[in-house]
Amino acid sequence: MSYLSDRVKRAGKAVAAVTLAIALTACSATYRNHGYMPVKEDVDLLVVGKDTRETVTEAIGKPGTAGLLSDSGFYYVRSRFEHYLYNAPKEIDREVLAISFDGKGRVENIERFGLEDGRVIVLERRVTASNIKGVSFLRQLFGSFGRIDLAEQLGGN
């Protein structure tokens, strides 16, 4: 009997160890990368005042984002997100390469920004302002009765 109970104890310990290993693995973080960032050596080959939009695109690739207002620049953005099981993703790294151009389309400036330099900027906001706040459905319905001119609606003068 002691042989059987020792065997059961060893099997129980093995099952507990496997269960613990699976639980710890499930709680580990997963990472997701977004965007494209050109290699630093390729960016270093760009010459301010000489290269144009076309030569920049040939040298380091097409940007993910270009200047929104006046085609003033190219923006290459790469982000890294960390996910834990049920928590919201957290951005742990961001790199932005901004290449601005002058009026003739030549490279004017090359800048790099990191997550510590970033600010949240709303590029587009599509919100329709409602002018009926605090007005109930019935008030809207009955409020239009006095404003309807039946003679005009029936084609009269």
Side-chain angles (χ1 to χ4, degrees):
M1 280 273 235
S2 69
Y3 171 72
L4 187 58
S5 64
D6 287 341
R7 195 169 179 183
V8 170
K9 285 181 185 178
R10 277 187 288 190
K13 287 180 183 179
V15 168
V18 169
T19 304
L20 180 63
I22 291 172
L24 290 176
T25 305
C27 293
S28 65
T30 57
Y31 297 93
R32 218 177 53 206
N33 297 313
H34 290 274
Y36 163 70
M37 181 61 59
V39 180
K40 184 175 182 343
E41 290 79 18
D42 292 343
V43 175
D44 291 341
L45 295 176
L46 298 177
V47 180
V48 175
K50 182 180 176 189
D51 282 306
T52 63
R53 292 177 194 277
E54 292 78 23
T55 59
V56 169
T57 303
E58 289 174 12
I60 62 175
K62 192 173 180 175
T65 308
L68 297 174
L69 299 177
S70 61
D71 270 343
S72 60
F74 287 171
Y75 302 97
Y76 299 86
V77 182
R78 181 184 66 205
S79 296
R80 183 170 174 87
F81 291 87
E82 181 180 59
H83 294 266
Y84 280 106
L85 201 55
Y86 53 84
N87 294 333
K90 179 182 177 188
E91 187 174 21
I92 58 172
D93 186 32
R94 179 188 322 135
E95 190 176 356
V96 177
L97 173 67
I99 302 176
S100 56
F101 299 95
D102 61 11
K104 296 179 181 178
R106 298 190 189 279
V107 174
E108 184 176 53
N109 195 8
I110 300 173
E111 297 177 285
R112 282 190 186 272
F113 301 100
L115 185 61
E116 62 277 356
D117 301 320
R119 289 182 286 155
V120 176
I121 299 172
V122 178
L123 297 178
E124 181 178 356
R125 190 167 187 199
R126 295 184 180 201
V127 177
T128 305
S130 175
N131 61 354
I132 58 170
K133 288 184 180 177
V135 180
S136 69
F137 172 73
L138 293 176
R139 178 173 238 167
Q140 290 177 33
L141 181 67
F142 293 128
S144 62
F145 278 128
R147 290 184 269 169
I148 297 175
D149 185 8
L150 288 177
E152 182 179 313
Q153 296 297 324
L154 296 175
N157 291 346

